[in-house]
Amino acid sequence: MNKRVLVIANAYPNATHAYVNNDVDYLASQATVLVLSKRQPTAPFYSSHDFNFFDNMQQLELLAKEFKPDFIISWMLPNHFYARHIAELLSVPFVLKAHTPDVFRFTRGVARIKDELKALLVGEERLSLSYRILMRSLARTARSPMLRGVFSIPALQESLARFFPREKLREMQPWFNFAAFHDESANGGKVLALGSLVNRRENQTTFASVLGAIDDPVDWIAVPTPGCLWLDIPGIPANVTIRKYLPPEQMPALYKSYKAMLIIAEGKLGRGLPLSVLEAQAAGVTVIAPSLRPDFDDFVTRGGGFMFTSESEIPQLLAQAQQPERRAMGFRHAARHGAESFRQELATVGLEFAPPAIASEDLSLQQRLMANA
């Protein structure tokens, strides 16, 4: 019997939410899927999958009752109470998938009291729109008999353990379409920069001195935001080109023009576990990133990437890009994060599907790469 999976997302379809988009693509290949969101996406794209929007809990109830899901997957912790309410109303299991910034929404002391008072005045739905989490409500979600698991990157596990039973916590590993990005042919000589170059508070750019010192052309892909043309940004070096956003299907070819991908981030949780790292590794691009925390550093270095603690190290690391043995490490690491890893992840919470139907040559290649990892 074909399963019916309801996905509650923040703003689907959104080009910047690659984790959610990948999940929906896979689920739709295995089950009947409906994605429901409270917000309109800021960077929309065409999706062939069924989705809709709701303004309040009553509308969500009507849409969910009509769909009749067998399972609910809810992305972003501020949406937890929607998933719990519908799961308990329809007596179906649900799981939560936490986004890295969710850890900053856990409040204590005066901040928690303020949220409680605001919820009394305007309701929990209004509170969630400002990306706040009502801690009392989160505790109720943690006790729900319908909750099957809470997924997050390893760095969030200890924070989540303060609110959820440890037996419900699951480590979430990123996954992607490995076959679409895998290409072991020679790469070009440019450098791709990902992250924020603009310090908006000071109206200046960061990393400008380092980027300007790189001999090779540098492309920067800004976060796609409608109406944001990124013109006349002060301090951008002459060798840096600001590229327009490209849809996912065009990204594999773009990666091949780069020898290295430089990630720009600050702070322990300045990045989660980006899908762009896996995509670059599968395309043979050397990843160079700041050392943020153990799970992030391991994610990069297992794929042959380099970590830096000072901007002054970047030119020296760029000179080591495209070493054959490190490219091979990247191919092997990326192969471990294909659709099969997501299928196994879902199976741990009782949502089981048949192994992915991928071409035999792709399956053989992934098995060979993973066997050598």
Side-chain angles (χ1 to χ4, degrees), residues 106-108 112 135 138-139 142-143 159-165:
F106 299 141
T107 56
R108 294 181 179 181
R112 181 177 297 187
M135 305 312 296
L138 189 67
R143 297 191 302 267
S159 295
L160 290 171
R162 291 163 39 206
F163 306 100
F164 295 95

Side-chain angles (χ1 to χ4, degrees), residues 111-315:
R112 181 177 297 187
I113 295 173
K114 287 182 177 179
D115 282 348
E116 293 282 354
L117 292 174
K118 185 176 180 180
L120 288 174
L121 292 173
V122 301
E124 187 172 9
E125 292 183 56
R126 287 283 299 277
L127 190 71
S128 70
L129 284 177
S130 58
Y131 215 73
R132 307 294 294 177
I133 298 175
L134 190 61
M135 305 312 296
R136 172 171 47 84
S137 178
L138 189 67
R140 179 180 169 187
T141 296
R143 297 191 302 267
S144 175
M146 297 293 104
L147 179 64
R148 294 295 180 266
V150 181
F151 290 91
S152 78
I153 62 173
L156 303 188
Q157 292 281 297
E158 285 304 312
S159 295
L160 290 171
R162 291 163 39 206
F163 306 100
F164 295 95
R166 285 192 178 272
E167 63 270 17
K168 293 292 180 70
L169 299 182
R170 303 286 190 279
E171 285 196 3
M172 177 174 65
Q173 292 295 326
W175 76 275
F176 75 127
N177 185 345
F178 172 77
F181 288 87
H182 178 240
D183 186 344
E184 299 189 21
S185 64
N187 287 65
K190 297 196 296 182
V191 175
L192 172 63
L194 292 184
S196 178
L197 289 177
V198 181
N199 184 332
R200 295 175 180 83
R201 182 172 299 173
E202 301 295 336
N203 198 32
Q204 295 176 349
T205 57
T206 57
F207 278 67
S209 60
V210 172
L211 293 179
I214 296 174
D215 294 331
D216 306 298
V218 178
D219 284 352
W220 175 44
I221 300 180
V223 174
T225 303
C228 188
L229 301 179
W230 296 102
L231 298 176
D232 300 322
I233 299 175
I236 294 291
N239 66 322
V240 174
T241 299
I242 302 177
R243 291 196 61 98
K244 292 183 178 180
Y245 166 77
L246 290 179
E249 61 270 17
Q250 296 181 33
M251 287 302 294
L254 180 66
Y255 275 115
K256 294 305 298 180
S257 63
Y258 303 113
K259 68 176 184 180
M261 182 175 77
L262 174 62
I263 295 178
I264 299 170
E266 293 182 358
K268 181 180 178 181
L269 294 173
R271 286 289 180 272
L273 296 179
L275 288 173
S276 56
V277 170
L278 295 175
E279 294 168 354
Q281 291 170 348
V285 181
T286 301
V287 178
I288 300 174
S291 178
L292 299 179
R293 59 179 193 277
D295 66 324
F296 176 82
D297 294 2
D298 185 67
F299 188 61
V300 173
T301 56
R302 278 182 178 270
F306 295 101
M307 314 306 302
F308 64 87
T309 56
S310 169
E311 297 175 16
S312 62
E313 302 170 47
I314 294 175

